[in-house]
Amino acid sequence: MSPASLVRSVAAHGLPGASCDWPDKPMDNLTWEQLFTAVRQQRLAGLLVACVADGALPATPAQRQQASQLHFDRSCGVLQLESAALSAVDTLEAADIGVRILKGSATANLDYTDPALRLFVDVDLLVRSRDIDAAMDLLVRSGHSRHAIQPRRGFDRRFGKGATLTSDAGQELDLHRTFVMGPFGLRIVLDDLWAGSSSFTLGGRKVQALDPECRFLHACYHTALGDLRPRLVPQRDIAQMLLFGQLDLQRVDGLMRSWRAEPVVARAVRMTWESFGLSDATALSTWAQRYRATPRELSDLAVYTDPASSSYTAMSVAALGALPSLRDKAAFASALVLPRRGFVPDDGLPHGGRWRRAAQTALARVRQRP
Amino acid sequence: MIAQGEVLARDTAVLWRRSAGTLLLKRRDCPAIIYLDETALALWEELDRPRTVEELALRLGDRYSAPADVVLADLLPVVDELERRRLVNRRHA
């Protein structure tokens, strides 16, 4: 029973049909420490304490105490983050900027019977494209600092995923206008994210999140595209929503096709079912198993998932292909080739360098098209 | 000290979580996290809507198979502490 198998079992705890691999007695200290490290890295403290409390994972008193302490510490962090999220929401809504709380707090409160099971380490907020510059300015004036400037004014509003800020108390806040950067983020029909909403109460205040179908799709984007080594928490979110939620699968299908997100959803759901060894098939999991991405889709996925292919340059060139008009392509490429002073792309290369040459090549291709 | 018939409610400016039998609370206007024991957690859970202290004693008595008057005596200091920390507030029924 490896630590990898144990941590997957922790992440899958409570899912019907999950293949969980539990020891029949408490682990030795070395194995426990390996599991504990993995749980900490994967942010699964909530599910770890549940496994121990439910008797699924035998533990010594010391191991039980260690798990409880980790959950306590992380839960304190969650309260600080929710307080920060409410302050940011207050700031934006006072200026008539619509906002949705994404992932973390929204998923914990809306998709889990006990929010204590689902921990998170940052705040994610969504605003409309037209509001992102104003939202950014307001948050900076209220004490947040922005990690990186946009290549040119207007880039965030037209092309970007958003930006990361840090509050004066040190909490990270990701302000989004779409789910991910690059081609799959650009293809999302952003008006769809504002067509409906779910609400929940936080600190006595009603706040808004995405509707269930958009929350599910966001979890798919996060799983399939969010990290080179996919995390278990968004996979658990997918399983939680599909197996316990009340998703309108017809709407999920419609949105997915409209956004050309089939390869994203298929990868995410297939990965989730494989990670947790889920035996319960749903219509969507059956479809995901059978889905075969086209070469173009595989190429677009690779800029997010393949270490050899993923770079800011590759992401930018792939994004060009997703932009609808030549005017957009030219504006996008120009912003990256000739950004304003101080802009540094996410791969850390300064003004000039490999990414710039690739963007210049891409811009030349755009200009050559009849 | 809360009086008979007064209604107790969670303060709306409070964020909270449960963690391993502990109640964690944070007021929005205060950076500190307060953590309280299982008795306070049980009381907090019963305050999912405003209730009189007598109603709370009855409900907790049922939960823990204890006489309501014994529960009430144990409850009053906890209520006072929560009120002192501005985590709950009271109003007349």
Side-chain angles (χ1 to χ4, degrees):
Chain A
M1 205 168 295
S2 66
S5 150
L6 282 166
V7 77
R8 276 197 297 274
S9 296
V10 169
H13 179 63
L15 294 175
S19 171
C20 291
D21 203 10
W22 299 121
D24 52 16
K25 60 179 182 174
M27 285 168 266
D28 59 76
N29 287 339
L30 178 62
T31 310
W32 170 262
E33 283 306 319
Q34 288 172 333
L35 170 64
F36 191 76
T37 299
V39 161
R40 206 167 43 219
Q41 287 168 348
Q42 293 279 353
R43 301 165 193 163
L44 290 167
L47 286 163
L48 178 64
V49 295
C51 293
V52 172
D54 295 345
L57 178 62
T60 64
Q63 291 167 352
R64 186 180 291 260
Q65 167 59 27
Q66 194 179 14
S68 296
Q69 186 62 50
L70 178 64
H71 186 257
F72 178 92
D73 293 341
R74 293 294 183 265
S75 299
C76 291
V78 160
L79 289 181
Q80 299 288 7
L81 287 169
E82 288 189 329
S83 187
L86 281 175
S87 295
V89 169
D90 282 346
T91 298
L92 297 176
E93 289 190 346
D96 280 329
I97 292 177
V99 60
R100 300 283 186 264
I101 296 183
L102 299 177
K103 295 196 289 182
S105 184
T107 306
N109 283 281
L110 290 166
D111 299 303
Y112 286 76
T113 49
D114 183 359
L117 292 174
R118 176 57 164 90
L119 301 171
F120 46 96
V121 296
D122 60 9
V123 173
D124 290 85
L125 301 179
L126 179 80
V127 296
R128 291 181 173 85
S129 298
R130 66 175 189 243
D131 292 328
I132 195 157
D133 289 334
M136 204 72 72
D137 289 345
L138 278 167
L139 291 172
V140 167
R141 280 208 296 275
S142 72
H144 292 78
S145 54
R146 181 174 174 156
H147 287 201
I149 62 171
Q150 54 183 328
R152 281 196 196 166
R153 186 104 179 137
F155 187 92
D156 285 345
R157 178 176 47 79
R158 290 177 76 178
F159 308 121
K161 175 186 102 168
T164 299
L165 302 105
T166 304
S167 73
D168 50 13
Q171 287 115 6
E172 188 173 291
L173 188 157
D174 290 325
L175 187 68
H176 296 248
R177 68 160 203 121
T178 186
F179 290 165
V180 292
M181 59 191 296
F184 286 113
L186 289 166
R187 291 189 193 119
I188 295 173
V189 177
L190 297 179
D191 285 346
D192 290 341
L193 304 182
W194 297 91
S197 67
S198 298
S199 63
F200 63 102
T201 301
L202 209 53
R205 192 196 189 298
K206 196 171 173 184
V207 293
Q208 303 297 320
L210 297 175
D211 61 51
E213 291 76 34
C214 288
R215 279 204 309 281
F216 170 74
L217 288 167
H218 191 190
C220 289
Y221 276 73
H222 190 193
T223 294
L225 311 176
D227 297 280
L228 281 176
R229 292 185 68 184
R231 292 183 158 274
L232 291 170
V233 164
Q235 293 179 62
R236 173 57 192 247
D237 290 345
I238 287 173
Q240 187 78 16
M241 292 177 195
L242 268 178
L243 296 174
F244 295 111
Q246 304 290 325
L247 292 175
D248 178 347
L249 291 179
Q250 217 166 357
R251 182 156 184 267
V252 168
D253 188 70
L255 290 171
M256 180 176 67
R257 292 178 196 282
S258 168
W259 301 354
R260 293 167 55 194
E262 293 96 322
V264 177
V265 177
R267 176 177 153 87
V269 174
R270 198 166 52 233
M271 195 185 299
T272 298
W273 251 247
E274 285 167 6
S275 286
F276 301 145
L278 292 168
S279 59
D280 290 13
T282 68
L284 199 59
S285 67
T286 304
W287 166 85
Q289 293 297 336
R290 293 177 184 159
Y291 187 80
R292 294 292 173 265
T294 64
R296 173 66 186 270
E297 289 171 347
L298 288 171
S299 172
D300 280 345
L301 277 175
V303 299
Y304 297 87
T305 63
D306 179 2
S309 307
S310 75
S311 67
Y312 190 81
T313 308
M315 183 76 68
S316 301
V317 173
L320 269 176
L323 289 167
S325 71
L326 276 177
R327 186 175 171 179
D328 282 338
K329 292 178 198 292
F332 180 85
S334 297
L336 295 184
V337 170
L338 295 168
R340 60 185 185 175
R341 193 169 295 280
F343 170 69
V344 177
D346 283 351
D347 63 4
L349 289 173
H351 186 71
R354 286 195 306 278
W355 67 269
R356 187 182 178 193
R357 283 197 291 278
Q360 284 172 325
T361 305
L363 180 59
R365 278 194 214 129
V366 167
R367 285 175 176 157
Q368 281 164 13
R369 268 191 212 170
Chain B
M1 181 83 67
I2 192 161
Q4 201 165 1
E6 284 186 314
V7 173
L8 203 62
R10 293 175 186 170
D11 193 294
T12 55
V14 175
L15 296 153
W16 67 281
R17 275 278 188 293
R18 61 172 75 81
S19 177
T22 302
L23 173 64
L24 304 179
L25 303 129
K26 182 191 178 304
R27 281 192 59 87
R28 286 195 57 193
D29 56 1
C30 180
I33 307 275
I34 297 161
Y35 50 96
L36 299 171
D37 66 11
E38 281 187 50
T39 306
L41 175 58
L43 169 60
W44 189 264
E45 287 172 342
E46 294 297 338
L47 280 173
D48 57 337
R49 63 174 181 83
R51 299 184 193 277
T52 64
V53 72
E54 291 79 16
E55 193 183 349
L56 285 168
L58 275 169
R59 291 178 67 86
L60 289 168
D62 283 343
R63 193 163 157 174
Y64 292 102
S65 302
D69 55 344
V70 170
V71 171
L72 185 62
D74 291 340
L75 207 54
L76 291 175
V78 178
V79 168
D80 284 343
E81 180 64 15
L82 291 173
E83 196 178 13
R84 187 182 72 78
R85 293 173 180 268
R86 299 187 301 140
L87 301 168
V88 298
N89 45 53
R90 62 169 117 156
R91 57 183 168 84
H92 293 289

